[in-house]
Amino acid sequence: MEFKPGDIIRIKKNGVWWEGTVMPREDRDYITLKLKTGYNVGIKLEGVERIEKIGEIKLERQKPVSFELELKKDMPLVCVLSTGGTIASSIDYRTGAIQASYQAEDIIKAVPEISNFVNLESRLVFQEMSENLTPKHWQILAREVFREIKEKNPEGIVVLHGTDTLTYSACALSFMLRNLSIPVIFTFAQKSSDRGASDAFMNLLCSCIAAGRSDIAEVCVCGHATIEDNYCFVNRGHKTRKLHTSQRNAFRSINDFPLARVFPEGKIEIINRRYFRKDKNREVKLEDKLEEKVALLKFHPGMDPEILDWYIERGYKGLVIEGTGLGHVNVSNTKFSFLPKIKRARKEGMIIAMTSQCIYGRVNPWIYSNLRKLREAGVLYLEDMLAECALVKLMWALGKSKEEEEIKKIMLSNLANELNPRISPKTFLF
């Protein structure tokens, strides 16, 4: 028998009956059922004793709720741009699949409390899960944020984004939007926004409060600070990393303190006073050129240094290495030494930068003799910069200049608070 998604069937195999709703499948040898418990089970059709259809799910489309955004004269304007991701997704209960389907307005309708704090305008920029994004998407997003600033003159901008590559996008906008005059706040959800346990609503509410009512003028990430629904952190975008696959307080500041706590009741508590202040008289500049031939390489014991030949021969212009500890790779006189390949890459004009796998702390080429050998070979040590930030910044620097000394100067300049001159031990425990 042929079954379509939504059919309710019973299958008997090995003397056991299974009952559930048919889900889409690619493998014709198996059938996948969604059980009443909500779990899925895959059953191999070979050896099935009996199979019968007992019903089907008929979906009735609901009429959309009429909703009109009203602008209030005494409220700051916040522009919300949606790019997809879990915060803009819903579950198709017929198949159990999660799809990016909500535009920003759909989410705002579900969080009417926002109207107590800010006026909102919203639109869709693109609709992609974040793992599908490329540097070209960063450029599109930077241009659209720049356009909102120029045309709408808002107090702040909120970007709805998937979690998995959110910090790469935040890093990109931190460098592409020079002289930023208002906050640009990225926010997210770990659970889709049509689920009762979703973190999307408080994240969006607190992000809009931070965008419209704080004096921060940086690219930030705002979301749950704890697993409770009590308050959110505003973290500096390029000093933030996703540190948990699924927990709602997944994003943490690295080598830095969060800038602020934001409460859903509207209160903002500044934690870290080292930030750029809002000044709407500043003229924002868009510098969105990128060199995409840049890669990120994580060193591991026994790694074959010939991997660098692959990048050299394909014309890569830059390479960021995540070294161990203070910035180590193997430089001993063995077949595993990276020095000969690094010297070859440098001779070919490739910029090679070093960050640490440790996440916290900074690299330092002066502690050990092996580190000094790497520095002498031309490796650029990037202080406490996170690897994803280093990758994006190197793309941006190579987009601005082809002169090696100018690129090095850009990489070691603290343009957006991406380098912390003094790391407090407390940031590691915060």
Side-chain angles (χ1 to χ4, degrees):
M1 297 176 64
E2 287 294 324
F3 300 102
K4 63 182 184 299
D7 288 344
I8 302 172
I9 67 172
R10 297 177 72 223
I11 296 179
K12 185 178 182 182
K13 184 173 181 180
N14 299 329
V16 178
W17 282 97
W18 298 88
E19 181 179 318
T21 304
V22 176
M23 296 181 64
R25 59 191 170 120
E26 296 180 5
D27 191 331
R28 303 299 298 177
D29 295 330
Y30 289 81
I31 192 163
T32 303
L33 300 183
K34 177 168 286 296
L35 308 178
K36 289 181 180 180
T37 60
Y39 289 97
N40 301 336
V41 61
I43 300 172
K44 191 172 184 178
L45 293 175
E46 183 182 354
V48 165
E49 300 159 28
R50 188 172 177 181
I51 183 167
E52 59 188 34
K53 179 177 174 179
I54 59 174
E56 63 181 82
I57 296 174
K58 292 183 178 179
L59 298 179
E60 294 183 3
R61 290 193 174 273
Q62 305 238 348
K63 293 182 179 180
V65 177
S66 177
F67 185 85
E68 186 174 344
L69 294 174
E70 295 183 2
L71 301 182
K72 301 174 184 177
K73 290 183 179 179
D74 59 338
M75 291 286 190
L77 174 64
V78 170
C79 296
V80 178
L81 301 179
S82 180
T83 69
T86 302
I87 192 168
S89 69
S90 61
I91 296 176
D92 180 347
Y93 286 100
R94 183 169 181 165
T95 66
I98 294 178
Q99 299 291 335
S101 58
Y102 286 168
Q103 294 188 17
E105 283 186 348
D106 296 312
I107 301 174
I108 293 165
K109 290 174 187 176
V111 196
E113 297 91 340
I114 292 175
S115 62
N116 294 327
F117 305 104
V118 298
N119 288 323
L120 284 167
E121 291 189 10
S122 61
R123 62 186 177 88
L124 183 69
V125 176
F126 46 79
Q127 196 158 297
E128 290 283 355
M129 304 307 280
S130 70
E131 63 270 20
N132 298 334
L133 301 187
T134 69
K136 288 182 172 55
H137 288 96
W138 304 338
Q139 292 171 315
I140 292 169
L141 182 56
R143 291 165 193 161
E144 293 303 311
V145 169
F146 181 74
R147 173 182 155 194
E148 294 291 286
I149 293 172
K150 290 296 183 182
E151 294 182 2
K152 305 283 183 65
N153 192 32
E155 291 299 315
I157 291 175
V158 171
V159 178
L160 310 185
H161 199 289
T163 60
D164 287 350
T165 66
L166 184 152
T167 51
Y168 289 89
S169 297
C171 289
L173 265 62
S174 294
F175 299 114
M176 291 180 179
L177 299 171
R178 307 309 309 141
N179 213 28
L180 189 59
S181 57
I182 62 172
V184 176
I185 310 288
F186 282 76
T187 195
F188 59 90
Q190 293 281 64
K191 292 186 178 180
S192 57
S193 45
D194 63 342
R195 297 172 67 181
S198 177
D199 51 335
F201 310 112
M202 196 177 93
N203 287 354
L204 180 59
L205 176 59
C206 289
S207 296
C208 288
I209 293 169
R213 295 183 171 269
S214 77
D215 70 338
I216 298 167
E218 295 195 22
V219 178
C220 300
V221 178
C222 180
H224 273 65
T226 72
I227 60 173
E228 307 296 335
D229 292 328
N230 43 15
Y231 61 90
C232 291
F233 277 146
V234 178
N235 298 298
R236 186 172 279 120
H238 45 272
K239 301 295 282 186
T240 303
R241 180 170 282 185
K242 182 181 179 182
L243 293 180
H244 199 287
T245 57
S246 54
Q247 200 161 285
R248 59 179 57 195
N249 59 333
F251 286 85
R252 300 287 183 90
S253 288
I254 307 295
N255 292 325
D256 208 350
F257 291 109
L259 300 184
R261 289 187 185 91
V262 181
F263 295 82
E265 299 80 18
K267 184 173 69 171
I268 300 174
E269 289 182 355
I270 298 298
I271 299 172
N272 181 353
R273 297 195 173 275
R274 189 179 70 92
Y275 61 86
F276 296 114
R277 265 61 175 181
K278 180 187 290 187
D279 182 355
K280 295 182 73 176
N281 292 320
R282 282 202 299 267
E283 184 177 355
V284 183
K285 296 179 181 179
L286 178 66
E287 298 180 4
D288 63 348
K289 291 183 180 179
L290 293 174
E291 170 55 66
E292 293 189 32
K293 285 274 190 176
V294 180
L296 177 59
L297 182 68
K298 185 167 186 171
F299 171 78
H300 62 78
M303 176 178 276
D304 190 337
E306 286 188 1
I307 194 170
L308 268 66
D309 291 332
W310 190 93
Y311 292 108
I312 296 167
E313 289 160 9
R314 283 157 181 77
Y316 273 69
K317 308 300 182 185
L319 181 67
V320 176
I321 299 175
E322 273 194 48
T324 60
L326 295 167
H328 291 270
V329 295
N330 192 328
V331 297
S332 65
N333 296 321
T334 71
K335 66 177 182 177
F336 295 113
S337 174
F338 269 67
L339 268 180
K341 300 301 182 183
I342 286 174
K343 289 177 180 177
R344 181 193 170 197
R346 293 290 299 119
K347 188 176 181 180
E348 295 288 336
M350 184 189 291
I351 303 294
I352 298 184
M354 183 68 72
T355 62
S356 178
Q357 299 173 18
C358 293
I359 305 177
Y360 287 89
R362 67 175 82 241
V363 291
N364 188 331
W366 301 110
I367 305 298
Y368 295 100
S369 59
N370 283 346
L371 294 169
R372 290 195 289 274
K373 289 176 185 178
L374 289 167
R375 184 181 180 279
E376 289 165 4
V379 176
L380 195 62
Y381 278 72
L382 296 181
E383 300 289 338
D384 70 318
M385 200 183 301
L386 289 173
E388 53 265 52
C389 180
L391 173 75
V392 175
K393 188 177 181 182
L394 186 52
M395 287 181 172
W396 180 75
L398 285 163
K400 286 179 66 67
S401 176
K402 304 302 179 187
E403 298 296 325
E404 184 171 306
E405 289 307 312
E406 179 62 21
I407 293 165
K408 289 181 178 180
K409 181 180 178 182
I410 291 170
M411 291 303 294
L412 294 175
S413 296
N414 197 12
L415 303 178
N417 282 328
E418 69 274 24
L419 299 173
N420 195 342
R422 182 181 178 275
I423 302 174
S424 169
K426 293 180 180 179
T427 61
F428 184 64
L429 303 172
F430 195 87

